[in-house]
């Protein structure tokens, strides 16, 4: 089954927001292989967090990831207008397979 | 720099077949697992299939197993997705995605190719 994300979150510039991604012990809780992607309208997803909390080079440190039990979280601090996008979480499940969440639309007010 | 360019998408009737291609450049193709991920219009992402770096291991989502076949030609740096018995629910943008090495993730994404299944 797909991971559970809130459909939408919002915040004002400069604030912090957190997006949750809830799975089970067979996915999020069972592996430290959660990734997060940012997707602007009409664009391909871009990797922003891998292996729960690691940032690829070039991703601002305003983006951070964490995990507790079966729930992973993406926190964006110091919100900027350009952060407005869809955010997707994914977790490794087994046999090189992955499962995604339904995606969360972030609105910067 | 890493480039992944998908092609082969288009409109097709239910029950027909289509083959997608993904031309890779800018990295050692034969040292990375490769994935297909799709996104139905207005929906979230769905992982479809993966092939190991040498093409010997292949895994599929339940929704496509038995209908889709992932393959690769390392001599041509190209990834393929053969899609048979297409259904309306297969309508989506299909992305070619490079796996991580040594990181465990899906790292680099192509721009996608749209497949529309409709009568």
């Amino acid at each position: 089954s797909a991971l559970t994300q809130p459909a939408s979150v919002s915040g004002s510039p400069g604030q912090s927001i957190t997006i949750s991604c809830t799975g089970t012990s067979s996915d999020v809780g069972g592996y430290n292989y959660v990734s997060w992607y940012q997707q602007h309208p009409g664009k391909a997803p871009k990797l922003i967090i891998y292996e729960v909390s690691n940032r690829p080079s070039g991703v601002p440190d305003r983006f951070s990831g964490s995990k507790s039990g079966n729930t992973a979280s993406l926190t964006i601090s110091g919100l900027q207008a350009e952060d407005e996008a869809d955010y997707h979480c994914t977790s490794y499940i087994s046999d090189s397979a992955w499962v995604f969440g339904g995606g969360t639309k972030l609105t910067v007010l | 720099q890493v480039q992944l360019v998908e092609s082969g998408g288009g409109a097709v009737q239910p029950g027909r077949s289509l083959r997608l291609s993904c031309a890779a450049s800018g990295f050692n193709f034969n040292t990375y697992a490769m994935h297909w991920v799709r996104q139905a219009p207005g929906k979230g992402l769905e992982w479809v299939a993966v092939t190991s770096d040498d093409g010997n291991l292949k895994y599929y989502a339940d929704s496509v197993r038995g209908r889709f076949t992932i393959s690769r030609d390392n001599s041509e740096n190209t990834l393929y997705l053969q899609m048979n018995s297409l259904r309306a629910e297969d309508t989506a943008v299909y992305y070619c995605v490079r796996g991580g090495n040594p990181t465990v993730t899906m790292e680099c994404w192509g721009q996608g190719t749209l497949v529309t299944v409709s009568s």
Side-chain angles (χ1 to χ4, degrees):
Chain A
S1 297
L3 306 178
T4 300
Q5 295 181 235
S8 63
V9 298
S10 62
S12 299
Q15 288 186 330
S16 295
I17 63 93
T18 296
I19 299 172
S20 61
C21 172
T22 301
T24 68
S25 58
S26 296
D27 39 63
V28 174
Y31 305 93
N32 286 323
Y33 298 140
V34 175
S35 296
W36 290 90
Y37 299 90
Q38 178 190 63
Q39 185 180 30
H40 287 107
K43 300 294 188 181
K46 172 190 172 185
L47 178 68
I48 56 173
I49 295 289
Y50 65 94
E51 293 173 356
V52 176
S53 59
N54 295 303
R55 280 187 311 277
S57 61
V59 175
D61 59 7
R62 302 185 295 104
F63 294 86
S64 62
S66 62
K67 190 184 86 166
S68 177
N70 297 336
T71 298
S73 299
L74 171 71
T75 298
I76 309 173
S77 58
L79 267 181
Q80 299 181 3
E82 60 261 38
D83 297 334
E84 184 161 295
D86 292 331
Y87 290 84
H88 307 271
C89 67
T90 188
S91 172
Y92 180 85
I93 48 176
S94 67
D95 292 333
S96 298
W98 295 75
V99 62
F100 281 91
T104 298
K105 181 177 180 58
L106 168 62
T107 300
V108 180
L109 302 170
Chain B
Q1 74 280 20
V2 174
Q3 273 204 307
L4 299 166
V5 180
E6 301 93 337
S7 61
V12 62
Q13 294 179 327
R16 304 298 289 264
S17 299
L18 207 58
R19 188 175 86 154
L20 306 183
S21 300
C22 170
S25 61
F27 64 100
N28 291 328
F29 183 69
N30 62 7
T31 63
Y32 289 86
M34 294 295 297
H35 303 255
W36 287 100
V37 176
R38 68 185 181 183
Q39 186 171 33
K43 302 295 185 183
L45 300 169
E46 180 187 15
W47 177 83
V48 172
V50 63
T51 178
S52 59
D53 54 3
D54 60 6
N56 287 335
L57 298 176
K58 303 172 185 183
Y59 299 97
Y60 300 90
D62 290 343
S63 57
V64 306
R65 188 176 295 114
R67 300 187 299 122
F68 289 12
T69 301
I70 189 171
S71 63
R72 64 192 296 163
D73 184 340
N74 284 349
S75 67
E76 296 289 335
N77 290 348
T78 303
L79 176 72
Y80 300 100
L81 185 67
Q82 176 67 42
M83 304 185 294
N84 298 332
S85 303
L86 282 162
R87 306 167 179 167
E89 53 265 36
D90 295 320
T91 294
V93 173
Y94 284 74
Y95 293 102
C96 165
V97 190
R98 191 188 80 177
N101 183 0
T103 58
V104 181
T105 187
M106 289 175 280
E107 199 166 47
C108 303
W109 296 61
Q111 285 305 299
T113 186
L114 176 63
V115 172
T116 303
V117 184
S118 172
S119 54

